[in-house]
Amino acid sequence: MTKAKIAMKTPLVEMDGDEMTRILWGMIKEQLILPFVDLKTEYYDLGLLHRNETEDRVTVEAANATRRLGVAVKCATITPNKQRMEEYPQLTQMWKSPNGTIRSILDGTVFRAPILIDSIHPVVKNWKKPITIARHAYGDVYKSVDLYTTEPGECVLTFRGQSGAEQTVSVQKVDGPAVWQGQHNKESSIRSFARSCFQYAIDTRQDLWFSTKDTIAKVYDGEFKRVFEEEFEGYKADFEKLGITYFYTLIDDAVARVIRSEGGFIWACKNYDGDVMSDMVSTAFGSLAMMTSVLVAPDGTTEYEAAHGTVTKHYYKYLKGEKTSTNPMATIFAWTGALRKRGQLDGLNDLENFAGQLEGACFDTLNRGTMTKDLVGLVDEGAPAHAVTSEEFIAAIRENLEKRL
Ligand code: NAP
Ligand code: MG
């Protein structure tokens, strides 16, 4: 290659990871990024053993670097569980999920969106554009307490203020065994969630929908609706300038509208709704291997990654010397998302353009029927599809990329 490499100004935060995705990470950099971009990154190895060696300080350092530099790209990582503790006896602790640690340091919201291709149609036939789900990741039923009682009686809910003042409501009087649950959320967390959503809608120039059940939970869900309305005031002018809208509706009405829509918007959901709806939406769009995930902080700091895990089963085959057909699309799009964002922030048109060309080269490859095994069975239009290995797939993308540049 004689062409000069594309220059960067500010480094990206690069968080390496585990297993099969770590192998893909290396291939993507080697084949699709380094030959074309004079890549500048601050590298953090979040591989499980390095997290262990640093007593997980590396995860905190990577999150702090992301705050400082504004944009990160992350590889999937192992969250240790009991089985992993046996698999890696050198682990000194069951280290927490890196994603959880990073999310709480950045106080961010996760946005998940599918990558759509012409030859695979969503199960919902009128969906033409991606639907991005934003899930609030704090509180509600995920931080609730439960109680089972056996005798007749009354349950009350009491808040005891630091000042000593108390507020009490009766939950219910019952005449036999009953179950109870106490939930909470924090205004500060709802506010950060709202800001991340408005910010990401502006960044991606998409409408923002938000749904709760405030007709039933008048105070609880009413608080979510109120905070969103209040925060929207600060973003309204930008929304108008971009011609995008903020739309609030009840969750049941939202479900009906989403199914009838053609997509192309962000759907902000409370914690439980987001848990359920993101599985529904990603399944209807096709493959987990085609889902991207973006963590956005209220100040606009952004971290890009694939929504899937480290693809352990494929890694064990790889270790035995087998060539696997693991789909690198979501990981490639994490890189293009981060490079594009870096280009936008630093005013580097060439870098922004490169991200678009690399994505284009991925689509060129898929449109010719060259794809990984997970996608072949989903193809319902266009060129006959054939499965190739990850290496062959990435080589084909590189060929198409060189044609485009
Ligand atoms: P996974 O890695 O997402 O894989 C589950 C299955 O989905 C795979 O066995 C494979 O199915 C299919 N799949 C996922 N991604 C694919 C891809 N790119 N190409 C082709 N097929 C793909 O989930 P997991 O096995 O439950 O978790 C493995 C590890 O990942 C765990 O240690 C977990 O902690 C971690 N994890 C990390 C993150 C993250 O860092 N963001 C997220 C989730 C899980 P087939 O085997 O049928 O081909
Ligand atoms: Mg779920």
Side-chain angles (χ1 to χ4, degrees):
M1 188 134 326
T2 48
K3 249 171 108 177
K5 288 190 192 181
I6 295 159
M8 288 183 68
K9 234 187 258 170
T10 318
L12 283 177
V13 175
E14 175 185 354
M15 306 183 203
D16 209 341
D18 288 299
E19 299 192 316
M20 201 58 216
T21 40
R22 188 179 180 105
I23 306 299
L24 294 177
W25 194 261
M27 290 183 193
I28 292 166
K29 273 178 72 177
E30 184 92 359
Q31 294 296 322
L32 302 178
I33 315 268
L34 292 173
F36 309 99
V37 178
D38 193 8
L39 186 68
K40 278 191 186 165
T41 73
E42 244 180 54
Y43 178 88
Y44 294 86
D45 183 0
L46 266 56
L48 181 58
L49 292 179
H50 192 243
R51 274 180 276 147
N52 188 57
E53 278 161 29
T54 62
E55 300 188 303
D56 210 23
R57 275 190 303 272
V58 65
T59 308
V60 175
E61 282 163 14
N64 287 333
T66 306
R67 278 201 130 151
R68 176 163 44 82
L69 295 173
V71 187
V73 58
K74 179 180 170 290
C75 180
T77 44
I78 292 171
T79 297
N81 53 15
K82 239 183 110 216
Q83 190 198 328
R84 296 292 194 174
M85 298 300 286
E86 284 158 23
E87 186 182 350
Y88 296 93
Q90 60 272 62
L91 293 187
T92 54
Q93 256 189 61
M94 203 187 285
W95 303 108
K96 282 192 278 188
S97 148
N99 287 32
T101 302
I102 296 164
R103 197 171 59 212
S104 73
I105 291 174
L106 297 182
D107 187 22
T109 296
V110 172
F111 296 80
R112 279 184 164 210
I115 304 162
L116 298 194
I117 61 171
D118 295 341
S119 55
I120 297 177
H121 291 93
V123 176
V124 180
K125 66 176 190 299
N126 43 282
W127 287 357
K128 304 270 185 279
K129 297 180 212 159
I131 294 169
T132 302
I133 301 263
R135 176 183 171 189
H136 186 214
Y138 177 83
D140 302 350
V141 74
Y142 302 86
K143 266 199 188 309
S144 64
V145 289
D146 291 21
L147 197 62
Y148 173 70
T149 56
T150 53
E151 61 170 326
E154 181 182 14
C155 184
V156 296
L157 181 65
T158 300
F159 172 77
R160 197 168 299 127
Q162 224 173 29
S163 68
E166 286 189 359
Q167 280 172 270
T168 295
V169 288
S170 170
V171 178
Q172 191 67 258
K173 283 183 181 152
V174 293
D175 53 13
V179 282
W180 312 89
Q181 187 169 65
Q183 292 188 23
H184 85 285
N185 220 300
K186 295 196 289 194
E187 189 172 315
S188 59
S189 173
I190 302 168
R191 205 168 286 286
S192 294
F193 175 47
R195 286 183 187 158
S196 295
C197 289
F198 290 124
Q199 185 64 50
Y200 195 62
I202 290 169
D203 281 358
T204 60
R205 291 168 173 65
Q206 294 186 91
D207 291 342
L208 176 67
W209 297 17
F210 180 45
S211 55
T212 72
K213 192 72 178 177
D214 70 293
T215 44
I216 301 299
K218 290 191 176 66
V219 174
Y220 199 108
D221 285 13
E223 171 74 358
F224 280 80
K225 184 183 178 186
R226 186 186 69 76
V227 169
F228 265 70
E229 266 165 21
E230 220 174 85
E231 284 300 324
F232 182 50
E233 288 306 312
Y235 299 89
K236 217 174 196 164
D238 283 340
F239 268 58
E240 275 165 16
K241 220 184 305 161
L242 295 171
I244 56 175
T245 55
Y246 168 58
F247 170 61
Y248 174 85
T249 190
L250 290 171
I251 178 82
D252 36 355
D253 179 52
V255 169
R257 285 173 189 262
V258 164
I259 294 293
R260 282 193 307 261
S261 78
E262 60 164 41
F265 52 88
I266 300 165
W267 183 11
C269 293
K270 286 180 62 196
N271 210 347
Y272 174 81
D273 298 342
D275 186 349
V276 176
M277 293 307 161
S278 64
D279 281 4
M280 197 259 304
V281 169
S282 65
T283 306
F285 271 111
S287 165
L288 179 62
M290 297 287 272
M291 288 297 285
T292 62
S293 176
V294 186
L295 176 72
V296 182
D299 67 358
T301 298
T302 317
E303 180 231 290
Y304 295 82
E305 67 174 313
H308 59 76
T310 58
V311 211
T312 311
K313 279 191 211 153
H314 294 213
Y315 182 58
Y316 290 144
K317 286 185 188 160
Y318 169 86
L319 287 181
K320 280 192 233 151
E322 277 178 53
K323 297 237 183 268
T324 72
S325 184
T326 317
N327 191 339
M329 281 289 288
T331 305
I332 296 173
F333 276 61
W335 274 98
T336 55
L339 291 170
R340 178 182 291 112
K341 179 80 184 177
R342 199 64 268 172
Q344 283 166 353
L345 291 177
D346 291 351
L348 299 173
N349 287 333
D350 285 354
L351 192 61
E352 228 184 302
N353 179 51
F354 172 78
Q357 295 296 346
L358 176 48
E359 289 176 1
C362 292
F363 292 127
D364 294 345
T365 310
L366 292 166
N367 286 338
R368 279 169 206 155
T370 304
M371 53 187 72
T372 46
K373 215 153 113 189
D374 55 303
L375 296 181
V376 169
L378 299 172
V379 167
D380 55 10
E381 200 185 293
H386 57 278
V388 296
T389 64
S390 302
E391 264 173 336
E392 289 164 339
F393 184 59
I394 289 171
I397 294 170
R398 173 157 183 184
E399 217 172 283
N400 285 319
L401 179 59
E402 276 170 1
K403 274 183 216 152
R404 279 173 165 259
L405 291 175

